[in-house]
Amino acid sequence: MTSKPPVRIGIRAPTNPIEIPKTRREFFKTGATLAGGLTLASGAVLPALAEGGHDHTMAAGGHENESPMILGSAELVQYGSRSPFEKSVRIPHPAGSTASPDTFGKMFHIASPIGEFHGTITPSSLHYVATTRQSYMPEIDPAKHTLTIHGVVDRPLTWTLADLKRFPSVSRLHFLECSGNRHGPQNKNVQESHGMTSCAEWTGVLLSTLIKECGLKTSAKWFVAEGAEEVKGASSMPIAKAMDDVLVAYGMNGEAVRPQNGYPLRIVVPGFEGIFSTKYLRRIKIVDRYYMNYNDYGHLTETPTDAALRYQIGPKSIITRPSGSQTLAGPGFYEITGLAWSGGGAIKSVEVSTDGGASWKRAELKSAPQRMAHVRFSCPWNWDGKATSIMSRCTDEVGQKQPTLEQVAKYWNKPYVKGYTMPGLNNSVMPWTIAQDGRITNGLL
Amino acid sequence: MVSFRLAAVALLLASPVLAETYGIGRQTTPEELKRLDISIGPEGDELPVGRGTVKDGEALFEEKGCVFCHGEQGAGGSAPALKAEKGPEAPIWQRGRILPVRAPFATTVWDYIYRAMPLGIEGTLTADETYAITAYLLYVNKVIPESLVLDKESLPKVKMPIGKNYADLPDWKPKTPRLKGYPY
């Protein structure tokens, strides 16, 4: 890569600068003398000003960046919303489907527009969602909701939401990822390929705090977490995980957990496949053996390898910009950026290749990597205008490395052919192909 | 200052924060637990009293609308199949992901139905109805004979075709790779 000075894009030097009036009154006074064609003499705008009020209903102004004003409605004052110019939305997953995993015709899974995010936190309204059954969710009155922990403990206890908020709290950044977040050659963009993961700041009580309150018996080996939704979804998890870092969360990105994400209470099981992070949490049963309830049956596998690889999530990264369906404007400077995460702990390093995997360069991590959380990485790049492919790979704190699909096939002694499916959640490297005209497409086989 | 510190230490030692628990929450009553606890373990300790026959189950499979989604005898519907196409002569992992066949314990089938079925009216089946539907689904898959009545005693004793032919989950420890020896 040649190191010519970066070309500035999107920054225009001011031409013919004019002094910006300090007040709106001053603006209107000087307005008439501004550059040609501007007429402000009509009575429609001026009377309010004559009264000295702060009426911000304004016609298009005379300055380059002047825009109509938005009325601060009660809704906007009370609970803000994004600009109407911002259009990114969640989409059904898999892309184009309306019925996953069966044919009832409702959306079960919706993917985050992760190609359009900045930083590491997923806005709550755009967090990915996976539900057990259709797009319905329970509407739970938090005043009536309780959590009970029982089973192999000294004393079963029940708490209200208010009770839970009295315990010492923690706030932690954690990613969640659906086991269906499997990228393939059919995906057009990063939302289709990697949109079933998100990262939020979760606030709540450590499950270990609550279990200690009940008094854990030594025969405890597993716990079953159960939701209050229609199917009472339940998963069994090791008690070692419960005592390590499982969070009973009522907060998400600074406010209450959203209904689609488990309002008013859920567990967050850092680094495990998303299904374990039971939403609408109502009960935790501490048990002395694996319980094989509901979701556990879905996790039943034939080999210990499959069982292990469908549990804790492996190291994974993805370039979100530039990525599939985007177009580079032309040769010059671009910041390559993306997200990296691992169920094994914090991300230690991310590398980026801009020559189809021939050489790799260490990427910058934009913030101190947190355990089991997305971290934003970036890498400066001067595109020379030639066709190429770009990709990222990462290593986590326990030394696990993100593989290419080819490496995985080789490891398991399988032929690396089109359609090869790796065991467990797909954490392989995703290449984006860049054509000479700047168009970016899926770079998988 | 010194005396202040000593006082602070003394206070800390006496403080309830250092006690074993925070004393928040109330003890759950046995009646509440009986109502709440729908997690049925392999031994069936949590199973409620009740009974169901294959014949009752067959009628209920129609009556409760199971047949509309799962098809006749649990096959050919739009929802997941409940009857394996391949019989007991086929290896278990080739018989498909069929709950009443692949589940390691008959209690798993009972738990699933009682907890999560039927679609739209979940949680409305009685214990008797659940025993009966479980019996019917195990019977159509040739897991139990038509004559077997399922109840709290007989259900956990049903031998499922999978036996122990499935993988245990790994012994999870914090800060360890997901699969020993696997670099990825």
Side-chain angles (χ1 to χ4, degrees):
Chain A
M1 195 189 295
T2 56
S3 58
K4 58 180 177 179
V7 176
R8 285 182 186 179
I9 50 170
I11 304 163
R12 266 178 294 170
T15 52
N16 192 18
I18 47 168
E19 198 183 328
I20 296 165
K22 284 179 186 65
T23 64
R24 293 179 55 77
R25 194 174 292 273
E26 194 182 333
F27 166 74
F28 280 99
K29 265 196 272 176
T30 56
T33 65
L34 285 174
L38 192 68
T39 48
L40 282 165
S42 96
V45 174
L46 291 175
L49 287 152
E51 288 156 23
H54 292 272
D55 189 342
H56 285 260
T57 53
M58 193 185 95
H63 288 285
E64 195 177 341
N65 288 321
E66 208 73 61
S67 305
M69 304 298 280
I70 298 169
L71 179 68
S73 62
E75 288 78 12
L76 275 183
V77 168
Q78 288 161 358
Y79 198 91
S81 66
R82 64 179 176 177
S83 161
F85 293 100
E86 295 300 315
K87 306 283 190 197
S88 55
V89 291
R90 297 180 292 197
I91 57 168
H93 174 90
S97 73
T98 51
S100 154
D102 54 28
T103 50
F104 293 111
K106 302 281 189 216
M107 266 183 255
F108 285 71
H109 296 104
I110 45 182
S112 283
I114 67 164
E116 308 187 32
F117 294 157
H118 312 292
T120 48
I121 291 179
T122 307
S124 300
S125 47
L126 293 172
H127 198 285
Y128 91 84
V129 180
T131 60
T132 47
R133 196 171 279 177
Q134 305 181 340
S135 42
Y136 300 110
M137 69 203 96
E139 187 169 57
I140 298 173
D141 178 351
K144 291 176 187 155
H145 190 77
T146 58
L147 170 66
T148 296
I149 297 186
H150 69 112
V152 192
V153 290
D154 295 331
R155 49 194 167 271
L157 292 173
T158 298
W159 299 281
T160 62
L161 258 289
D163 289 338
L164 292 173
K165 287 174 185 172
R166 285 175 58 198
F167 283 101
S169 63
V170 294
S171 291
R172 290 177 183 173
L173 213 56
H174 284 306
F175 79 85
L176 292 175
E177 184 174 18
C178 180
S179 62
N181 203 31
R182 306 179 67 91
H183 49 290
Q186 75 284 2
N187 301 135
K188 288 188 203 66
N189 57 51
V190 71
Q191 183 172 16
E192 291 183 11
S193 65
H194 288 74
M196 293 301 284
T197 182
S198 294
C199 184
E201 187 204 58
W202 301 98
T203 296
V205 195
L206 284 172
L207 178 53
S208 59
T209 303
L210 299 177
I211 290 177
K212 283 175 196 158
E213 195 74 8
C214 298
L216 187 65
K217 288 188 172 162
T218 49
S219 56
K221 295 281 184 300
W222 297 86
F223 72 100
V224 186
E226 180 183 273
E229 79 280 19
E230 79 290 25
V231 297
K232 309 284 180 284
S235 293
S236 301
M237 288 162 269
I239 200 74
K241 186 68 179 168
M243 301 315 283
D244 186 44
D245 59 4
V246 174
L247 195 55
V248 175
Y250 43 77
M252 176 185 188
N253 293 336
E255 62 179 354
V257 171
R258 293 278 176 107
Q260 288 182 311
N261 305 103
Y263 183 85
L265 198 66
R266 74 173 304 166
I267 55 168
V268 174
V269 185
F272 278 30
E273 286 191 357
I275 195 167
F276 290 103
S277 290
T278 309
K279 298 192 278 192
Y280 319 110
L281 183 71
R282 71 162 195 175
R283 188 170 68 94
I284 286 174
K285 183 175 181 175
I286 315 283
V287 290
D288 56 5
R289 60 173 298 171
Y290 193 68
Y291 248 46
M292 202 62 78
N293 290 161
Y294 199 73
N295 294 333
D296 298 330
Y297 167 70
H299 262 80
L300 195 71
T301 49
E302 189 175 3
T303 69
T305 298
D306 277 338
L309 296 180
R310 295 193 55 208
Y311 210 41
Q312 182 176 299
I313 288 169
K316 191 165 174 179
S317 73
I318 178 68
I319 293 173
T320 56
R321 210 163 44 237
S323 63
S325 295
Q326 297 172 358
T327 303
L328 297 182
F333 179 81
Y334 295 90
E335 181 184 58
I336 292 174
T337 178
L339 295 166
W341 63 95
S342 173
I347 288 296
K348 202 173 142 207
S349 64
V350 180
E351 293 166 290
V352 167
S353 173
T354 55
D355 55 9
S359 67
W360 295 84
K361 202 170 114 175
R362 187 128 178 182
E364 180 196 345
L365 301 182
K366 294 284 194 181
S367 55
Q370 308 289 303
R371 304 194 72 234
M372 286 77 79
H374 285 177
V375 65
R376 172 74 55 181
F377 66 85
S378 74
C379 187
W381 181 44
N382 267 301
W383 184 43
D384 58 11
K386 291 189 183 121
T388 186
S389 80
I390 60 172
M391 61 195 84
S392 65
R393 67 183 183 193
C394 65
T395 303
D396 69 16
E397 65 172 295
V398 295
Q400 299 178 117
K401 290 175 188 306
Q402 182 184 12
T404 61
L405 203 52
E406 197 173 355
Q407 284 173 313
V408 177
K410 202 174 161 192
Y411 183 90
W412 297 114
N413 287 317
K414 301 276 190 225
Y416 176 55
V417 289
K418 191 176 167 72
Y420 170 70
T421 311
M422 66 188 290
L425 197 152
N426 185 352
N427 69 324
S428 65
V429 165
M430 172 79 191
W432 298 114
T433 299
I434 298 173
Q436 236 175 336
D437 62 4
R439 256 182 271 192
I440 307 168
T441 51
N442 188 319
L444 289 170
L445 258 185
Chain B
M1 275 309 279
V2 172
S3 61
F4 267 122
R5 271 188 203 164
L6 281 176
V9 167
L11 249 176
L12 252 168
L13 288 173
S15 145
V17 174
L18 286 185
E20 271 180 30
T21 64
Y22 295 95
I24 301 170
R26 61 172 179 81
Q27 193 121 357
T28 320
T29 65
E31 294 71 40
E32 278 180 291
L33 279 180
K34 207 174 165 192
R35 184 168 45 78
L36 264 177
D37 191 4
I38 54 168
S39 295
I40 315 297
E43 274 92 24
D45 295 338
E46 304 89 343
L47 282 169
V49 175
R51 66 194 293 281
T53 64
V54 170
K55 202 161 172 277
D56 291 344
E58 185 174 16
L60 284 162
F61 199 75
E62 294 254 340
E63 211 177 287
K64 296 289 175 184
C66 317
V67 67
F68 297 124
C69 298
H70 293 285
E72 293 289 330
Q73 295 202 329
S78 55
L82 297 171
K83 189 186 179 208
E85 283 176 21
K86 292 179 183 170
E89 67 287 350
I92 187 69
W93 287 96
Q94 287 173 25
R95 295 180 71 188
R97 191 161 146 173
I98 312 292
L99 180 71
V101 177
R102 194 184 274 183
F105 311 104
T107 50
T108 304
V109 183
W110 197 98
D111 174 290
Y112 202 114
I113 296 168
Y114 190 71
R115 174 189 299 275
M117 289 293 155
L119 183 76
I121 49 165
E122 299 86 356
T124 60
L125 293 178
T126 64
D128 285 350
E129 288 167 346
T130 311
Y131 281 115
I133 296 169
T134 304
Y136 173 64
L137 293 176
L138 292 173
Y139 166 70
V140 297
N141 285 290
K142 301 188 175 76
V143 179
I144 61 168
E146 192 172 6
S147 57
L148 186 68
V149 177
L150 289 186
D151 59 20
K152 192 176 163 54
E153 300 304 316
S154 61
L155 179 78
K157 293 195 187 100
V158 171
K159 290 259 175 300
M160 295 301 288
I162 196 167
K164 187 59 197 75
N165 188 9
Y166 61 92
D168 284 327
L169 284 166
D171 185 19
W172 185 88
K173 285 189 181 65
K175 296 187 182 179
T176 51
R178 54 192 186 140
L179 177 63
K180 216 178 166 188
Y182 186 59
Y184 310 129

